Amino acid sequence: MQTLHINGDTHQLDVPADMPLLWVLRDVLKMTGTKFGCGIAQCGACTVQLDGKPARSCMLPVGSLGDQAVTTIEAIGATPEGARIQKAWLKAEVVQCGYCQSGQIMSATALLKAVPKPADADIDAAMAGNICRCGTYIRIREAIKQAAQS
Amino acid sequence: MRTIKILMGLACLVAVVGIGFIAWTVLGRDPIHFAKGPRVTLAAYTGPSVTGAPPDLAHADLVMRGEYLTRAADCQACHTTDGGVPFAGGRAFKLPFGTLFSPNITPDQATGIGAWSDAEFLRAVHKGVGRGGKPLYPAFPYAAYTLLTDDDVLAIKAYLFSVKPIHAVAPENTLVFPFNQRLLMTVWSAMFDADTRFEPVADRAPEWNRGAYLVEAAGHCGECHSPRNLFQAIDNRKKFAGAVADGWRAYNISSDKPTGIGSWSEAQLASYLTNGHAAGRGSPAGPMREAVDMSLAHLTPGDVKAVVAYLRTVPPIADPALPATLAGPAPASAAKGPDGNPHGKALFAGACASCHDWTGSGALTANATLTGARAVNDPSAVNVVQMILTGNHDLVGKTQAYMPAFGPAYTDLEVADLANYVTARFGTAGRPIGPADVARFRQLR
Amino acid sequence: MSRLSDHAAPSRRAVLQGASVAGGGLLLGFSLPRAAKAQTASASGVFAPDAFIRIGRDDRVTLIMSQVEMGQGIHTAIPMILAEELDVPLSQVTTEEAPPNDKLYGNPIFYIQMTGGSTSVRALFMPMRKTAAAARAMLVTAAAQTWGVDAAACRTEAGAVIHDASGSRLGYGALVDAASVVPRPESPVLKDPKTFKLIGTPAKRLDTPDKVNGKAVFGIDALPDGVRFATLASCPVFGGTLGACDEKAALAVPGVRQVVKLDTLVAVVADHMWAAKLGLAALDIQWNDGPHAALSSVDLWGAIGKASEADGVTAQKIGDVDAALKGDGVITASYELPLLAHATMEPMNCTVHVTPDSCEIWVGIQVMTKAQRIAAAITGLPPEKITIHNHLIGGGFGRRLEEDGVGVAVRIAQHVDGPVKVVWTREEDIQHDMYRPVYRNVMGGRVENGKLVAWTHRVVGPAIIARYLPPAFKNGIDVDAVDGAIDLPYDIPHLRVDYVRHEMAGVPTAFWRGVGPNSTIFAAESFIDKLARQAGSDPLTFRRGLLAKNPRGLATLDLAAQKAGWGGALADRTGRGIAFQFVMGSFVATIAEVAVADDGVVTVKHITSAVDCGTIINPDTVVAQIQGGLIFGLTAASHGEITIERGRVQQSNFHDYRMLRINEVPTIAVHLVPSNEAPGGIGEPGTVAAMPAVANAIYAATGVQIQRMPIDPTLLAKKRSA
Ligand code: FES
Ligand code: FES
């Protein structure tokens, strides 16, 4: 039995401790906003936040979460940084297919929280783990800067 | 007359020096010489048995005990190719003078050991002499296995005979002259294979002696961790002081505090050997990862304790190439830390930070912790490069810790830049390595 | 009756004549009959003048979308065209996924219901306008009849018909019943483009709000009641089969329900993906490798090299090239492209529920009817018993023009009681893709007095078209493979393009973003730079000379050159390179600026693209597509290569099949040329442009020309003696 704190709710789940959070979210809790891209922490599509820090849920065993609060894309808009990022994302029309964007937004939000006025180097360091196959990087950079300004 | 006397004197001197040299090298072959103390035969040793399977398996049948001992001796690692059938052989060992391939040790009659008698098997394991009197290359660690009791060797044989026979012929060795002359091995064996069974130290505890048996006879730890002499034999005078094996650095595991394992706690040692990770000490990789996955992780807790107890008594030898202190955690901010290597940093940001974190503390699982790991605190960066090239995979812990192999798709220059960034950020940056170094490491594999 | 196909873009003849260039690219034919029958029944309270438009009494306009959204913004662009011509605010339009039906919703360019080849706007611009104009005319007639006034005295605005003289005004919703009995006009009057209010303005995309909050539902997110989760392993060698596989080890994993063994694969069905993955990993699977067990990349390169020695079939001929090639100044070169995987961010997946008399499918796919047909063929059910719920696609790039994944999932689902979601791991996705083939282009040319007088281009590669769209494979020529080569925008007096069909046994091939022009334009534009050097001319000047009769092309090239500061000073080992192209109906001139370090590492610093894609629907989307397309092409140029060893694909995930990351991309500036010409495609041209632009910039910076993708930095390291 695992106890998970997700988006303010507490779940008691009968899942193995070594099961990655990604599959618990998607297949058990039916929260499909968090995406599967690679399964080996190389693409960032599955990014969630643990106590505000970005984490790749595909390699994150639920048994290791402890009391940490998990935030997913479904609830990130309720945080001030999340709301600003989402707004900037729409303003800059970042999104193409959208599949990577949950992860991008989770990483960008965490960045904004840690570094309120990120420079290009900060954006590179924080966002390089998130692949976008559609190539929306130019606008991701723009949108993060816009959000930092707002 | 005078000339003759001088010549004779000289000849004597040469003989004395020669004999002395041989004696000196040969004497270095007793792995527990450091323990001093009186040695007794196993029969004369009082107290619980220090050989065989552990008491936990007292009632198990011969094959099961054999399986345990096969694991303790880690036969599978060498006798299996990557992804191949266990024990079917064919694994390549690249040496400076050619490549050796391990033989098939499944009980296949034609291509394996199915037709071997007990005596033949014992002779091979103890003396390094194969079927039909063919001398074996000491890549097969018979100089260590010679310490195994007959019972234990035959238990291993019983286990090997219980696995599915596989028809598989290993590729021909590609050694150059004179190393392709197997007869030379006879000379080598005479010098470096003591051909004696394990003799406990009478005044040491059974646990220590059990540990010695597991480490020296079965585990053959010295094969990787001890430096070798001129003849490529283990030099037990520098016991466990560290060496390079299979292109990886097998670190100093003597009890030296700064550069060995002297400052590791017992729990850290046990955890490293059996869980594939020790808090604050990193995770095994490469050949050590294999040793953990295939061998050490399968030892009983009692045997692990014995191994640890024994290891801690090995006299300290400092490794001057390693820094005396380990670097602490790196800054949490990506903006801080080493600059001057933007290319390496960019690669780290893209492919590495997700798992290792900018602090090096492991973002997802503890196994990915870099802080405190010897590899990042090794100025040669050998193991860092090897890790980047070949990746790592935890097969024992259920942590699903996994690092992909970046070698195939990253250039030598990229790997060098990345390795330099990693050692600078998380350890003691040494001489920066270059693409030519990486190319060399690739060759070693 | 209106047929979408009546109005699709003009043929490539126009292109070849160098005049009024409007079509171009992969245009296969437009004359297939297709019915867009008016269903003017008012019983439902809906005005449905044809298969595309429905207007309800509540004023809502529903557009039945034949094209799928995979990031290219088509679910905004087509509604914009409709809203413009129908005269309703964009916010009043809702889209609905079209059911599979080639007759009603076939892409006029490809005969079948398909989204691909950068054709959606090209194919649907005029038909959609015409259908909306007809609907608008019918609404106006209905209003005029209601008021007893002359229809000509009425106008429309913001979803209402207005009679200014009387001040009367009726919303479309109020006219639904009356309009339904108005005969549909044969040739409705279209709006004058000068009066466009929506087309050409940057509209906010309709699909994006749900993509920033996790609500958007992709195929992989489908969760029908009772769904189980499956993942699979296919034989690692193409054409091989499953040998022995004892399922016990998988069934021992908690959560695993079932192991499905088919001829070429094993799937593990479980309560969640994690259990399915563990179950699969636990299996000891024996494969029969089959006939391709020894195939390697070296063989592939060797075979295509040999094939390229043949003459092939002539696909284009101007003047007398053989005569023109006689004399001094002949140069030759060859340009090659490797196998590539699509690596869409959303891994392959498909959810299927098969019962004895039905088959329900949840998927995101570019070809609805093909998916339906394969499911029907496998299950033996009639097509109408196959229901497909099409979803948003997390990246298509050609991968989802193939229905192979649907076929696999249906075959697995036949053995499962209840719905099953089959998800490919990334490893399986990359190792069982259908790949962009290996292409080789052999070029020859002759320069005389600084002018290009003769040009030969031999394209060697498989005929994907022959498999994919057999009717389009005519005279032994794959129109996709030679696309871009046979309709060069340059004026060259003597030219011949040949095609050598060379299939690659053991590697399935398919379309990939940029399709044929990726190979032909990389070759042609690289070779142009080589010829320019031979002619002692600057790459810009040389191209300008070849574009004298092509004012649109010239203007696009000049715009790019001016914006990029062509000719400006550059540091040592830094260079600018041009790629100019007319593909998919759009002119794109691209200038890349690169710096090559002494160790050979290439940094692409900046890219400038000028784009004339005819009438622009949503300029912001055009810019986004060019940006994304360029980055897609840069990924291929920097890292893209699939290799085969022992019949197996060597790459498996993003660590060894690398994608460009945010810290590797250059700055990109896209400049649009205003135009009223027929719209061109924009999804793929950026990808096509990236490879030659960067290669030419490297050529300028180092004097070394990259002739095989991806870029090998070791070729570019500064020689020690230099
Ligand atoms: S799915 Fe987790 S990082 Fe790619
Ligand atoms: S928007 Fe498609 S992968 Fe990023």
Side-chain angles (χ1 to χ4, degrees), chain C residues 288-551:
Chain C
N288 305 316
D289 287 354
H292 305 302
L295 189 71
S296 76
S297 285
V298 175
D299 301 340
L300 293 178
W301 287 117
I304 200 166
K306 206 150 183 358
S308 70
E309 289 164 13
D311 284 337
V313 190
T314 298
Q316 180 63 281
K317 197 167 179 251
I318 297 171
D320 182 352
V321 82
D322 292 326
L325 271 174
K326 296 210 172 78
D328 294 339
V330 174
I331 57 169
T332 57
S334 60
Y335 300 91
E336 299 173 321
L337 292 104
L339 292 175
L340 292 175
H342 295 83
T344 59
M345 274 315 278
E346 178 189 4
M348 289 288 280
N349 66 88
C350 181
T351 303
V352 185
H353 186 189
V354 178
T355 71
D357 54 6
S358 73
C359 172
E360 205 172 351
I361 299 173
W362 295 259
V363 70
I365 191 144
Q366 293 170 254
V367 280
M368 281 278 266
T369 45
K370 277 187 160 236
Q372 190 184 43
R373 277 196 287 277
I374 196 172
I378 292 169
T379 57
L381 292 167
E384 62 272 18
K385 296 285 185 198
I386 315 285
T387 315
I388 303 186
H389 309 277
N390 210 357
H391 286 70
L392 291 171
I393 297 179
F397 316 127
R399 182 65 186 99
R400 288 171 171 96
L401 284 172
E402 304 290 347
E403 71 279 27
D404 58 316
V406 174
V408 166
V410 170
R411 291 198 297 140
I412 293 168
Q414 282 182 308
H415 300 269
V416 179
D417 187 15
V420 59
K421 169 148 74 180
V422 183
V423 176
W424 277 243
T425 59
R426 174 60 61 190
E427 289 78 7
E428 198 66 15
D429 177 286
I430 286 187
Q431 299 190 329
H432 292 88
D433 199 345
M434 296 175 73
Y435 303 87
R436 199 288 299 279
V438 167
Y439 282 113
R440 179 172 161 88
N441 296 268
V442 183
M443 316 295 294
R446 191 165 83 85
V447 170
E448 197 175 59
N449 302 324
K451 287 187 85 76
L452 176 57
V453 294
W455 173 276
T456 59
H457 185 166
R458 184 180 302 153
V459 181
V460 190
I464 300 170
I465 283 285
R467 168 181 67 80
Y468 195 87
L469 211 56
F473 184 65
K474 295 200 194 93
N475 309 321
I477 297 167
D478 181 323
V479 283
D480 168 49
V482 297
D483 191 11
I486 58 170
D487 43 13
L488 277 181
Y490 301 123
D491 187 20
I492 303 171
H494 305 282
L495 170 151
R496 190 179 65 231
V497 178
D498 296 324
Y499 172 64
V500 178
R501 181 178 182 183
H502 170 67
E503 298 293 335
M504 310 182 331
V507 185
T509 58
F511 300 120
W512 190 92
R513 189 181 193 176
V515 286
N518 275 334
S519 116
T520 58
I521 299 294
F522 167 56
E525 284 299 287
S526 297
F527 195 54
I528 285 277
D529 264 34
K530 215 172 168 70
L531 290 162
R533 203 167 269 224
Q534 170 92 352
S537 180
D538 164 83
L540 176 68
T541 315
F542 194 69
R543 284 181 176 79
R544 293 191 83 246
L546 295 167
L547 287 169
K549 294 186 195 155
N550 191 333

Side-chain angles (χ1 to χ4, degrees), chain A residues 6-7 25-26 31-35 45-49 57 70-79 82-83 85-86 89 95 98-109, chain C residues 208-216 221:
Chain A
I6 303 171
N7 298 340
L25 289 172
R26 289 184 56 83
M31 295 168 65
T32 56
T34 305
K35 301 301 188 212
C46 66
T47 308
V48 298
Q49 289 181 4
S57 64
V70 177
T71 308
T72 71
I73 185 70
E74 283 89 351
I76 198 68
T79 68
I85 285 285
Q86 285 175 336
W89 241 242
V95 180
Y99 194 78
C100 73
Q101 298 295 341
S102 297
Q104 304 281 3
I105 287 169
M106 297 308 287
S107 292
T109 306
Chain C
T208 45
D210 278 354
K211 289 178 174 176
V212 301
N213 59 21
K215 289 208 185 91
D221 301 327

Side-chain angles (χ1 to χ4, degrees), chain A residues 14-16 18-20 23-24 26-45 58 73-77 85-87 89-102 104-105 123-142 144, chain C residues 69-72 203-205 207-209 211-218 220-221 223 227 229 271-274 277-278 341-347 392-395 397 421 423-427 512-513 618 620-621 623-625 627-629 631-632 635 653-655 657 659-663 665-668:
Chain A
D14 184 17
V15 293
D18 62 330
M19 182 164 169
W23 304 116
V24 174
R26 289 184 56 83
D27 295 355
V28 178
L29 294 171
K30 319 271 187 228
M31 295 168 65
T32 56
T34 305
K35 301 301 188 212
F36 163 54
C38 67
I40 59 165
Q42 284 292 306
C43 80
C58 65
I73 185 70
E74 283 89 351
I76 198 68
I85 285 285
Q86 285 175 336
K87 208 167 136 219
W89 241 242
L90 292 176
K91 179 131 186 280
E93 201 75 279
V94 169
V95 180
Q96 292 192 23
C97 84
Y99 194 78
C100 73
Q101 298 295 341
S102 297
Q104 304 281 3
I105 287 169
I123 296 174
D124 281 351
M127 303 302 295
N130 288 79
I131 291 173
C132 174
R133 184 61 161 146
C134 297
T136 62
Y137 300 127
I138 308 272
R139 292 173 182 225
I140 287 174
R141 195 182 291 284
E142 266 170 42
I144 291 175
Chain C
E69 179 62 62
M70 43 194 174
Q72 81 280 40
K204 283 286 157 215
R205 277 177 50 176
D207 58 321
T208 45
K211 289 178 174 176
V212 301
N213 59 21
K215 289 208 185 91
V217 179
F218 296 83
I220 204 169
D221 301 327
L223 286 168
V227 71
F229 303 83
D271 293 345
H272 44 68
M273 181 74 171
W274 177 237
K277 277 181 81 166
L278 290 182
H342 295 83
T344 59
M345 274 315 278
E346 178 189 4
L392 291 171
I393 297 179
F397 316 127
K421 169 148 74 180
V423 176
W424 277 243
T425 59
R426 174 60 61 190
E427 289 78 7
W512 190 92
R513 189 181 193 176
N618 190 349
D620 190 55
T621 298
V623 172
Q625 284 299 298
Q627 289 172 335
I631 290 171
F632 204 88
T635 295
N653 206 323
F654 295 129
H655 66 286
Y657 190 65
M659 300 291 123
L660 227 57
R661 296 176 178 278
I662 195 170
N663 57 6
V665 298
T667 49
I668 296 176

